Amino acid sequence: QVQLTESGGGLVQAGGSLRLSCAASGRTFSSTAMGWFRQAPGKEREFVAATIVVRYNVEYKEHTDSVKGRFTISRDNAENTVYLQMNSLKPEDTAVYYCAAGAGIAAMRRKAVDYWGQGTQVTVSS
């Protein structure tokens, strides 16, 4: 069974930064898309970003419009870990952030996700 474990969430003031990590076990990163979703209480889970290796050491990445220029997804295949660097955080970014794995980024945008992590809380104060 593939497991995804998130870490790095916490409380930060508006304008601050956090770096989320997702460690994967039971699967390599080389042939799967990995990404992040977020969900606030009472709201739908939304796509944030995803990355996939499309050739040797070459990654294709997508970020949803609301985080472009502020968030950056990256991965370390040697560690089977995906990261989300979050800068210039806003209170609207407050949510539980979930790591996810799927067959491709387009599929993940459709929420066709194969595996979910347990989530890590990110709270941004004014």
Side-chain angles (χ1 to χ4, degrees), residues 13-27:
Q13 292 184 340
S17 298
L18 285 173
R19 181 179 172 91
L20 305 183
S21 299
C22 174
S25 63
R27 173 188 276 179

Side-chain angles (χ1 to χ4, degrees), residues 21-91:
S21 299
C22 174
S25 63
R27 173 188 276 179
T28 64
F29 277 44
S30 61
S31 62
T32 60
M34 302 289 296
W36 295 90
F37 289 72
R38 64 186 181 185
Q39 186 171 25
K43 299 181 180 179
E44 294 185 48
R45 190 170 298 187
E46 65 174 338
F47 174 84
V48 176
T51 179
I52 189 168
V53 177
V54 296
R55 62 185 299 271
Y56 184 72
N57 281 346
V58 177
E59 300 177 27
Y60 176 75
K61 305 174 182 179
E62 291 187 7
H63 301 77
T64 195
D65 288 344
S66 63
V67 307
K68 286 181 180 177
R70 300 189 299 119
F71 293 8
T72 303
I73 191 169
S74 62
R75 65 195 293 163
D76 183 345
N77 289 338
E79 300 291 334
N80 279 358
T81 302
V82 64
Y83 304 96
L84 187 68
Q85 179 67 47
M86 305 186 294
N87 299 324
S88 301
L89 282 161
K90 305 174 181 179

